[in-house]
């Protein structure tokens, strides 16, 4: 199933500025889904939680556990909203292209945004770690960390910032993109003939279930690594 992407090239006349409209659309849709779900799930808070409030409280405790595993709670409590936002957003993004795809004309519009635009997300996270590192420790102490314990460490720590960005984004991208490619191949096999349909039905159901599991694991890994990188910036003992 060979689909094209709706790309707008040379935006504002800039030769290198191109936009994939399906990515923009899916980022908006996933953000809207997460926002509506969280508002709906927490609209009627009670002292004795029931239904979706139980789920939301479990999610808060789960992310709180991730934060506690990487830094002390006094320092890390400010990052709880960030962790919650990331885990919901990435989970919904990972699952968006598992159950269905949306094709208009020959362009693929509905897919997992994390199967494409992950380096932007990882770069935003790394920039946030620098921001909070300076905010919590002060500019002088923060910059001093790049030349500790010896000035020779400076080039290695600069390289580390780039490798952290790449590994954080490419790990998520690789897993989700590979899953969508295999699902597309199975769908193509299933629509080729009646024999292909019966041959692809069971593997496709199994792979969809496995993709849901992978999507959940990758959202957890991304948030865990985010908090690890954040703890390295805001904690003076790293």
């Amino acid at each position: 199933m060979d689909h094209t992407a709706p790309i707008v090239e040379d935006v504002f006349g800039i030769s290198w500025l191109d936009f994939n409209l399906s990515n923009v659309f899916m980022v908006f849709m996933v953000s809207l889904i997460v926002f509506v779900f969280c508002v709906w799930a927490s609209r009627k808070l009670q002292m004795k939680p029931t239904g979706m409030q139980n789920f939301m409280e479990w999610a808060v405790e789960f992310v709180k556990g991730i934060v506690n595993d990487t830094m002390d709670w006094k320092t890390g409590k400010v990052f709880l909203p960030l962790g919650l936002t990331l885990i919901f957003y990435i989970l919904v993004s990972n699952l968006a292209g598992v159950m269905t795809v949306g094709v208009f004309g020959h362009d693929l519009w509905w897919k997992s945004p994390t199967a494409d635009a992950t380096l932007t997300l990882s770069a935003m996270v790394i920039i946030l770690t620098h921001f909070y590192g300076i905010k919590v420790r002060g500019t002088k102490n923060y910059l001093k960390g790049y030349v500790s314990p010896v000035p020779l460490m400076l080039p290695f720590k600069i390289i580390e910032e780039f490798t952290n960005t790449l590994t954080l984004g490419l790990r998520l991208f690789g897993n989700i993109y590979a899953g969508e490619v295999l699902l597309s191949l199975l769908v193509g096999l299933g629509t080729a003939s009646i024999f292909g349909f019966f041959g692809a039905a069971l593997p496709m159901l199994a792979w969809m279930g496995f993709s849901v599991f992978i999507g959940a694991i990758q959202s957890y890994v991304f948030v865990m690594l985010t908090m690890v990188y954040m703890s390295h910036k805001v904690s003076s003992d790293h």
Side-chain angles (χ1 to χ4, degrees):
M1 297 180 69
D2 187 19
H3 299 299
T4 57
I7 297 178
V8 178
E9 299 180 345
D10 300 342
V11 179
F12 304 123
I14 303 175
S15 60
W16 51 266
L17 186 58
D18 302 332
F19 280 104
N20 187 330
L21 294 181
S22 64
N23 286 341
V24 176
F25 172 72
M26 286 307 302
V27 166
F28 172 77
M29 289 303 299
V30 170
S31 300
L32 181 63
I33 290 170
V34 171
F35 175 77
V36 171
F37 172 79
C38 291
V39 170
W40 171 72
S42 57
R43 71 191 188 284
K44 294 181 180 179
L45 299 179
Q46 305 173 15
M47 291 298 296
K48 186 177 181 181
T50 58
M52 291 307 301
Q53 185 180 341
N54 273 325
F55 173 77
M56 291 300 293
E57 291 191 5
W58 172 83
V60 170
E61 289 298 321
F62 181 74
V63 176
K64 183 178 179 181
I66 296 176
V67 175
N68 278 327
D69 287 341
T70 55
M71 67 190 91
D72 64 279
W73 179 243
K74 183 179 179 180
T75 302
K77 62 182 178 181
V78 69
F79 305 120
L80 180 61
L82 172 64
L84 278 170
T85 302
L86 285 175
I87 203 164
F88 277 125
Y89 175 80
I90 295 173
L91 179 61
V92 175
S93 295
N94 291 349
L95 302 183
V98 172
M99 302 303 177
T100 184
V101 294
V103 179
F104 184 76
H106 201 62
D107 292 334
L108 180 62
W109 283 87
W110 188 276
K111 61 175 186 175
S112 295
T114 44
D116 200 342
T118 55
L119 283 180
T120 302
L121 182 61
S122 63
M124 290 175 62
V125 166
I126 297 300
I127 291 172
L128 272 177
T129 64
H130 292 297
F131 171 78
Y132 279 106
I134 294 173
K135 183 178 180 180
V136 173
R137 299 173 58 190
T139 304
K140 183 178 180 180
N141 287 334
Y142 176 75
L143 294 178
K144 190 183 297 183
Y146 280 88
V147 292
S148 298
V150 293
L152 184 62
M153 295 299 297
L154 177 61
F156 298 101
K157 293 196 174 183
I158 293 176
I159 293 173
E160 182 184 26
E161 300 301 329
F162 290 99
T163 57
N164 286 345
T165 305
L166 288 174
T167 55
L168 189 62
L170 292 179
R171 179 185 292 104
L172 179 60
F173 162 75
N175 282 276
I176 305 305
Y177 179 73
E180 287 201 350
V181 168
L182 185 53
L183 281 175
S184 298
L185 293 175
L186 290 172
V187 170
L189 176 62
T191 55
S193 65
I194 187 66
F195 298 104
F197 173 80
F198 288 107
L202 188 59
M204 186 166 66
L205 288 174
W207 186 254
M208 287 176 68
F210 184 68
S211 295
V212 171
F213 172 74
I214 291 296
I217 290 296
Q218 288 303 315
S219 62
Y220 164 76
V221 170
F222 193 97
V223 174
M224 173 62 79
L225 290 177
T226 296
M227 294 305 161
V228 169
Y229 296 154
M230 190 69 76
S231 70
H232 289 170
K233 301 300 182 184
V234 301
S235 301
S236 58
D237 56 339
H238 285 97

